[in-house]
Amino acid sequence: MAIDPICGMQVDESTDITATRDGQTFYFCCAHCRTKFLNPETVPLSGGCCGTTGAELPVLTTWDGPEAGAASGSPYICPMCPGVGSEQPADCPKCGMALELAQPAAPRRTVVYTCPMHPEIEETESGACPRCGMDLELKTIDASDGDDDQELRSMARRFWLAAALSLPVCVLAMAGRAVDAWLGPQPNSWLQAVLSGVVLFWTGWPVFSRGVLSIVTRQLNMFTLIAIGTAAAYLYSLAAVMMPTLFPDDLRVAGRIAVYFEAAAVIITLVLLGQLLELKARRRTGGAIRELLALAPPTARIVRDGRETEVVLEVVRVGETLRVRPGEKVPVDGTLSEGDSAVDESLVTGESIPVDKHVGDVLIGGSLNQTGSFLMRADRVGQDTMLSQIVNMVATAQRSRAPIQKVADAVAGWFVPAVLIIAVITFVVWAVVQPRQPALAWAVVNSVAVLIIACPCALGLATPMSVVVGIGRGARDGVLIRNAEVLQRLEKVDTVVVDKTGTLTEGRPALTECVTDHAIAEDELLQWAASVEHNSEHPVAHAIVQAAGQRGIALQSVEEFDSVTGRGVRARVQGRQVLVGRRSWLEQEGVDCGTALCDQAQALQEQGRTVVFVAIDQQLSGLLAVSDPIKESTSAALRDLRNLGMWIVMLTGDNKRTARTVALELEINEFQAGTSPEQKYEYVSTMRREGRVVAMAGDGINDAPALAEADVGVAMGTGTDVAIESAGVTLVKGDLRDLVKALRLSRCTMRNIRQNFVFAFGYNAVCVPIAAGVLYPISEHLLLNPMLAAAAMSCSSLSVIGNALRLRLARID
């Protein structure tokens, strides 16, 4: 039988309906298919054959390129014959090559821009924030964004051009008499006007546009003061050059009206420098996000109908089968379906030792496959993968604002109008009282100095810069903080509530003790027990088998295996009868358990261990104790928490005996056993009503209500998605020592924010009165030139930025 290349039906090769192409004979089910094969452009592609419709057949279709083919739902195309494709795997009717899987078009990305200081502002295009004037940033970060930063490059070009033009303006102004003697007073002034005009209204256009926008929207901000101050200085100077006869003679100095072109130009240049440094600082704080994005591979290998095709990562869908080769990164979160390998999961666990993966094991997107090739099923793709969630969590947190930011916003709300009023009063006092001549010129200069020195940019940067750097610092150490509000709450935490299983302990049973009657070695006893338990599905059996594997003990083949639900298992190993199970069951089977081993078993049970007895040929040979072992890092983490002044409470659903044993061993202040999810929630709620600030740490679905109710929910990164979604902090490594880091980081960040407020308010409190001339009666030298005011304003912003960047080096270990 042959295959009809048009409809895919099986055809008897004895048929007369054939056609030859390139020396190869093709067989058809009907004349219609043969005609379509010979003249594909003249026969309707939707037509049927043999009494069927085209919808029932794998009809070949044509389109303009792979993207159009993907859009039309035809995933297979011919690599040699453009325009030929099929809904199902087939051979090309033109050249005979097998059709290949086409890459479907990547989903279109919705671009949203938001303000770092006002996240409620969302725009579909980039630009300035209508409230504060800061540049909008991408809300959703994508790997395709890369390191390209047009805004930074544009600001750098503007700054360097402004600096290049401001320098000659300063020279012309400072060497005024010499230049006047060479060029003349008017040409000198006009040259300054032209050069400074380019600085103000071209290189400084972002500053002026934001200032105008703030006035139009009545959202006064730092750019309002800068725009008004520099525009006043420039227009005053330009008027003095263009219409000198309008100014009284007592304003003339050396025969001409004093101009301040250089002040306006230098002020704009310094503001652009501050903006450039701020942009560079913001990019440095986004380094953690770019590093995380780099962990995801750009492409994946999709396996369909036995064929592998490399596609861009964005088109992978849930349920797809993917091939991962040695040395490649796992493209998305999923489950290993075929093969074995060792995978480096250090991006999540922080451990460089590869993890062995077998069929059914979970794979994390971005982890590195080191050895074998395997197939996997895609379970979570796109924004649902763990890596994407981490990226989005960090990005969202870096844009968020702490409650303390409301203080800065409130201050800035009245600060700008107050400064404008002070500037007007300064102008009126200097113009009317006339402490220094020419009075009008000094009135303009000092009012402009007030506007410049009082720029609230440092105040606006005080909180967001520290939050951005602090959250980025935490992400680098595996501490993901959801938003700035959580970061601030962490500082006030005085009580830490922890779940036991999976938080204090490993979360899975493991063999902790192996006791024999001295007639048999430990490894031999474990070999007998593990050989029998290998056929059991019980978690305790798995722990025994795993312990044997860790010790390199080879298991023996068993016969006559039998499992008694809730009691134990029996089998024959090397001709000997082996029983593994409860004491009561062994006694029912005729085993004498009245030996010294029973006393040891009771002692272990009092310590919260699960004890199973092992009998060989009706003789009690030993016992195995299984428990959920405490993590190696837990004891040190709790000690550090106590040193930070934390009251530690353990809530567990386990029995009271086990809970007491763990609490005593770890020196926990308070514990409650046998608690349900509702009881955990109520306990946390009660503690909060008593005035405690509670951080709840857990990893399971049963912890989610308490995590959401706590002031700060802390989820283990090794836990469930529900727990992580309910928490404000995620410890990626699942290590409580990282909670200590989070608490220290919060304290460092809040202290840094308060220091920034001191820098911001300190400059304004000292310099605004000096700029207004309050100290002029003491000494005529105690005035601030507008250029010095601009330099002081920039120093204020740079102090805040530099202080915030210190958090990158903070000791939180």
Side-chain angles (χ1 to χ4, degrees):
M1 301 293 288
I3 300 297
D4 187 320
I6 298 298
C7 67
M9 293 180 62
Q10 288 189 341
V11 182
D12 192 332
E13 294 184 2
S14 62
T15 180
D16 295 331
I17 307 175
T18 61
T20 302
R21 177 180 292 171
D22 298 330
Q24 182 178 356
T25 301
F26 295 89
Y27 302 87
F28 304 92
C29 66
C30 63
H32 181 85
C33 287
R34 182 177 183 275
T35 303
K36 187 182 295 186
F37 175 79
L38 297 174
N39 302 287
E41 298 180 359
T42 61
V43 179
L45 295 176
S46 59
C49 67
C50 302
T52 62
T53 63
E56 298 170 340
L57 302 173
V59 179
L60 292 177
T61 183
T62 60
W63 64 85
D64 297 327
E67 292 186 358
S72 68
S74 301
Y76 294 95
I77 63 171
C78 178
M80 300 296 294
C81 304
V84 178
S86 172
E87 297 286 344
Q88 299 178 10
D91 293 331
C92 176
K94 292 184 177 181
C95 65
M97 290 188 64
L99 301 184
E100 295 182 354
L101 188 66
Q103 291 192 19
R108 183 170 297 178
R109 178 188 174 198
T110 301
V111 178
V112 178
Y113 294 88
T114 186
C115 175
M117 289 184 60
H118 302 92
E120 66 275 12
I121 301 295
E122 293 186 357
E123 303 288 345
T124 56
E125 296 181 357
S126 61
C129 173
R131 292 188 59 182
C132 66
M134 291 187 69
D135 288 299
L136 300 179
E137 298 178 346
L138 281 172
K139 182 177 181 179
T140 303
I141 298 178
D142 190 84
S144 60
D145 298 330
D147 293 334
D148 181 54
D149 197 329
Q150 183 178 356
E151 177 190 0
L152 179 61
R153 294 197 303 270
S154 174
M155 189 62 68
R157 287 195 298 267
R158 291 179 182 275
F159 164 71
W160 288 112
L161 179 59
L165 296 178
S166 298
L167 181 61
V169 173
C170 291
V171 173
L172 292 174
M174 295 172 64
R177 293 186 178 182
V179 177
D180 288 349
W182 177 47
L183 292 178
Q186 282 296 101
N188 182 8
S189 297
W190 275 109
L191 186 56
Q192 292 183 52
V194 172
L195 294 177
S196 59
V198 175
V199 173
L200 265 69
F201 303 112
W202 191 83
T203 62
W205 178 248
V207 178
F208 277 94
S209 62
R210 296 172 190 179
V212 172
L213 180 63
S214 68
I215 296 174
V216 172
T217 60
R218 298 181 182 179
Q219 299 286 345
L220 304 182
N221 52 52
M222 62 179 181
F223 296 102
T224 310
L225 299 181
I226 297 172
I228 293 176
T230 53
Y234 182 83
L235 294 177
Y236 171 86
S237 302
L238 187 63
V241 174
M242 296 180 63
M243 299 170 288
T245 56
L246 297 179
F247 293 81
D249 292 339
D250 59 355
L251 294 181
R252 297 181 181 276
V253 178
R256 66 172 183 170
I257 306 298
V259 293
Y260 299 94
F261 292 119
E262 81 285 358
V266 172
I267 288 169
I268 291 296
T269 302
L270 292 174
V271 171
L272 292 175
L273 174 61
Q275 291 292 296
L276 179 62
L277 294 176
E278 178 188 335
L279 286 173
K280 288 185 175 181
R282 281 162 51 190
R283 282 189 57 77
R284 289 175 64 186
T285 59
I289 297 177
R290 289 192 293 274
E291 290 176 7
L292 289 171
L293 286 171
L295 294 175
T299 61
R301 297 179 183 276
I302 291 182
V303 180
R304 291 178 180 167
D305 302 314
R307 304 185 183 188
E308 294 184 15
T309 303
E310 188 170 1
V311 299
V312 294
L313 191 62
E314 289 77 10
V315 306
V316 176
R317 298 291 179 263
V318 173
E320 298 270 20
T321 299
L322 309 177
R323 167 74 68 182
V324 182
R325 298 175 178 175
E328 294 180 344
K329 292 182 178 179
V330 177
V332 296
D333 294 357
T335 304
L336 195 148
S337 57
E338 181 181 316
D340 298 288
S341 185
V343 179
D344 180 0
E345 295 183 340
S346 57
L347 83 159
V348 173
T349 64
E351 300 294 334
S352 59
I353 300 176
V355 179
D356 291 334
K357 295 290 182 179
H358 309 286
V359 174
D361 288 345
V362 175
L363 299 167
I364 301 173
S367 56
L368 180 63
N369 179 31
Q370 293 197 332
T371 54
S373 175
F374 59 82
L375 295 179
M376 64 173 290
R377 182 184 69 249
D379 294 335
R380 294 191 295 183
V381 301
Q383 295 299 314
D384 295 330
T385 64
M386 179 180 292
L387 183 59
S388 295
Q389 289 174 357
I390 292 174
V391 170
N392 290 332
M393 188 181 296
V394 174
T396 301
Q398 288 189 338
R399 289 193 304 268
S400 63
R401 296 181 300 165
I404 196 172
Q405 177 65 27
K406 297 178 181 178
V407 177
D409 291 344
V411 171
W414 61 258
F415 182 77
V416 174
V419 169
L420 293 175
I421 293 174
I422 294 174
V424 171
I425 293 174
T426 300
F427 179 86
V428 171
V429 170
W430 279 85
V432 174
V433 178
Q434 300 184 358
R436 187 171 181 176
Q437 296 297 331
L440 185 59
W442 283 106
V444 171
V445 169
N446 290 331
S447 60
V448 169
V450 169
L451 293 173
I452 297 303
I453 192 64
C455 173
C457 54
L459 181 63
L461 291 172
T463 296
M465 279 303 300
S466 295
V467 168
V468 167
V469 178
I471 289 177
R473 174 74 171 84
R476 194 176 71 191
D477 279 19
V479 179
L480 304 181
I481 300 174
R482 187 177 295 275
N483 53 47
E485 183 177 359
V486 172
L487 186 64
Q488 181 174 344
R489 281 194 207 146
L490 272 170
E491 183 196 26
K492 302 298 183 181
V493 168
D494 54 28
T495 303
V496 175
V497 178
V498 294
D499 172 51
K500 181 182 75 70
T501 306
T503 303
L504 300 178
T505 66
E506 296 288 351
R508 58 183 181 274
L511 183 69
T512 54
E513 283 86 16
C514 180
V515 182
T516 72
D517 63 355
H518 304 295
I520 186 175
E522 285 189 11
D523 285 358
E524 187 178 357
L525 177 71
L526 187 56
Q527 183 183 44
W528 290 106
S531 297
V532 176
E533 293 282 21
H534 180 66
N535 297 287
S536 174
E537 296 295 330
H538 195 279
V540 172
H542 290 173
I544 295 173
V545 174
Q546 184 179 26
Q550 291 173 348
R551 297 191 184 189
I553 298 175
L555 302 185
Q556 303 293 329
S557 59
V558 301
E559 300 174 347
E560 303 176 12
F561 174 81
D562 181 32
S563 174
V564 182
T565 304
R567 294 175 178 270
V569 293
R570 63 158 58 91
R572 187 167 294 280
V573 182
Q574 294 182 344
R576 304 182 71 178
Q577 184 73 22
V578 180
L579 302 178
V580 183
R582 294 176 179 267
R583 174 182 177 179
S584 58
W585 180 63
L586 265 66
E587 289 178 339
Q588 290 178 3
E589 295 296 317
V591 178
D592 181 11
C593 295
T595 65
L597 287 176
C598 294
D599 296 333
Q600 292 180 272
Q602 185 175 357
L604 290 170
Q605 288 172 338
E606 290 176 355
Q607 297 175 13
R609 308 288 198 266
T610 298
V611 178
V612 295
F613 291 75
V614 182
I616 303 175
D617 291 336
Q618 299 300 107
Q619 296 294 322
L620 183 62
S621 302
L623 52 88
L624 303 172
V626 175
S627 67
D628 184 6
I630 295 173
K631 295 179 181 178
E632 294 182 2
S633 60
T634 296
S635 180
L638 295 184
R639 183 181 63 250
D640 291 341
L641 288 173
R642 286 192 294 270
N643 292 337
L644 290 176
M646 299 295 119
W647 179 264
I648 303 173
V649 180
M650 181 181 71
L651 302 181
T652 177
D654 209 339
N655 62 76
K656 190 172 183 179
R657 182 176 59 189
T658 302
R660 180 185 293 109
T661 299
V662 173
L664 291 174
E665 181 178 349
L666 296 176
E667 301 180 19
I668 292 175
N669 302 105
E670 182 181 345
F671 76 91
Q672 285 198 3
T675 54
S676 65
E678 293 78 13
Q679 290 172 327
K680 290 183 179 182
Y681 173 88
E682 289 297 332
Y683 188 88
V684 172
S685 180
T686 300
M687 297 183 75
R688 293 187 63 196
R689 288 195 296 269
E690 293 175 352
R692 297 187 182 183
V693 183
V694 181
M696 167 70 187
D699 75 325
I701 295 176
N702 62 325
D703 299 318
L707 289 172
E709 174 62 15
D711 292 282
V712 179
V714 181
M716 302 290 112
T718 52
T720 64
D721 291 342
V722 174
I724 293 174
E725 288 299 322
S726 303
V729 178
T730 300
L731 309 181
V732 175
K733 303 174 187 175
D735 190 335
L736 273 180
R737 287 177 297 187
D738 289 340
L739 176 56
V740 178
K741 294 181 181 179
L743 292 169
R744 289 173 177 165
L745 177 64
S746 173
R747 296 181 181 184
C748 290
T749 303
M750 298 310 299
R751 182 168 58 249
N752 192 273
I753 290 174
R754 296 185 183 97
Q755 293 169 351
N756 286 346
F757 280 147
V758 171
F759 284 120
F761 284 114
Y763 277 96
N764 289 318
V766 173
C767 294
V768 168
I770 297 176
V774 172
L775 300 181
Y776 182 77
I778 300 176
S779 172
E780 63 179 12
H781 299 292
L782 295 178
L783 283 175
L784 279 180
N785 182 281
M787 284 188 293
L788 295 178
M793 178 271 295
S794 295
C795 287
S796 175
S797 299
L798 293 178
S799 298
V800 168
I801 294 173
N803 189 53
L805 290 176
R806 288 194 311 111
L807 284 172
R808 300 174 72 247
L809 304 176
R811 292 290 302 273
I812 61 175
D813 294 333

